[in-house]
Amino acid sequence: MSTTTTPPEVAPEVDVAVCQVALVVGDPDGNLARGVAAAEEAARRGARIVVLPELLRSGYVFASAQEARDLAEPADGPTAGAFTDLARRHDLVVAVGFAEVDTDGALRNSALLLDGSGIRTVYRKAHLWDGEKEIFVPGDELPEVIATPWSRLALAVCYDLGFVEWMRLIGLAGADLVCAPTNWPGPPRADERPMEVVHVQAAASANRMFVAACDRTGAERGVTWVGGSAVVGPDGRPLAEAPAGAGEHVLVARCRLTDARRKETSTRNGVHADRRPELYAGLLTR
């Protein structure tokens, strides 16, 4: 893992967007166009950090590993090209999920963080959900923490958010904002907040950092989606949240990302300072 330092000048506030779009497996051009259009809308509304769903261009519900491979791309493929161009035009940082064929030919569930200069980092999902295990090779590296003009950003993908150890490591590495492309299968959210969003809130609060989770919408081969996109602040409270039944939706939240560097929860407590790692050795042996 390499961690960069934050530039001396950091914008005090920035608008962060999550773009909840409808995707269709096997329609890469249409999916990419929908994602770009949603990111364009976010930029028009003032966003400078934009997060899009997991596996944006390919869709998610693959009939086979071969179908996933046929829809996959290298890190510098069409998804990176389209969003680099958009980022350059609008001065954006973009996080987006994609099906990757890596340089060794392995199929990965990955995410890009990029800006107008191109790809800043590629992260490969470490925790694979259900049938993903039959298709993708899991990543085994902690996401990099990347310095941007607006603060320190890192990536996670979907199921990663439910692992408190992984999110703690990202927090300890210095991330102010975790950008998390997701595809949360399940019934669309009702009045009660879905557990997936509760996991996001817990990760944000436990590490006093921002998390922007971008889900998808629309039925795909009989699967529906939670539609639980949200931007959550370091106190664990949603700053923007897709309403129940929202369908396609662009959410924008104003964030002072450097607030994530204040880890204190009282005059005597801090979420990282109060850790006692010497007591947690059992995590590595059980």
Side-chain angles (χ1 to χ4, degrees):
M1 181 196 74
S2 63
T3 301
T4 57
T5 57
T6 303
E9 299 297 327
V10 176
E13 290 187 328
V14 63
D15 286 339
V16 177
V18 290
C19 300
Q20 183 170 286
V21 294
L23 306 172
V24 180
V25 71
D27 183 18
D29 293 340
N31 292 338
L32 188 56
R34 281 186 284 277
V36 168
E40 292 268 12
E41 179 185 339
R44 286 193 297 271
R45 291 172 55 185
R48 288 296 173 265
I49 300 172
V50 178
V51 187
L52 293 118
E54 180 181 9
L55 297 173
L56 175 85
R57 183 170 173 267
S58 63
Y60 183 93
V61 187
F62 304 111
S64 65
Q66 186 59 52
E67 182 181 43
R69 183 170 291 276
D70 291 343
L71 292 165
E73 59 187 290
D76 61 353
T79 297
F83 285 106
T84 297
D85 289 345
L86 183 143
R88 188 178 299 121
R89 292 197 307 273
H90 295 290
D91 190 22
L92 302 178
V93 175
V94 177
V96 57
F98 73 113
E100 180 193 10
V101 178
D102 72 14
T103 54
D104 295 326
L107 195 59
R108 308 277 192 170
N109 185 339
S110 298
L112 292 165
L113 188 76
L114 52 82
D115 58 21
S117 69
I119 296 170
R120 299 294 307 279
T121 189
V122 180
Y123 167 68
R124 285 140 185 173
K125 185 176 182 179
H127 303 91
L128 300 180
W129 171 258
D130 197 43
E132 294 175 32
K133 295 182 178 183
E134 307 302 319
I135 295 172
F136 297 110
V137 176
D140 56 9
E141 293 185 5
L142 195 70
E144 293 182 283
V145 176
I146 301 296
T148 77
W150 297 286
S151 206
R152 302 186 295 230
L153 276 55
L155 295 167
V157 178
C158 201
Y159 193 38
D160 288 329
L161 293 164
F163 289 84
V164 295
E165 303 93 337
W166 200 242
M167 301 308 293
R168 176 70 88 197
L169 287 170
I170 296 171
L172 289 170
D176 299 319
L177 168 65
V178 178
C179 300
T182 78
N183 278 189
W184 284 323
R189 62 165 302 183
D191 292 338
E192 184 176 353
R193 182 170 289 140
M195 188 54 61
E196 291 86 352
V197 178
V198 174
H199 286 160
V200 172
Q201 294 179 269
S205 175
N207 293 284
R208 297 288 303 172
M209 63 187 182
F210 292 82
V211 182
C214 186
D215 199 9
R216 59 165 290 180
T217 186
E220 184 180 79
R221 291 181 173 168
V223 177
T224 55
W225 310 91
V226 169
S229 300
V231 181
V232 176
D235 60 0
R237 297 180 181 179
L239 303 172
E241 186 175 11
E248 293 194 300
H249 208 72
V250 175
L251 298 163
V252 181
R254 178 65 56 89
C255 302
R256 183 180 290 104
L257 295 178
T258 51
D259 286 352
R261 300 182 194 176
R262 295 197 296 271
K263 304 299 184 184
E264 298 79 11
T265 53
S266 80
T267 56
R268 295 180 177 85
N269 297 101
V271 294
H272 290 170
D274 286 344
R275 294 169 56 250
R276 298 185 63 193
E278 69 277 8
L279 302 182
Y280 313 149
L283 285 172
L284 302 177
T285 57
R286 292 179 185 175

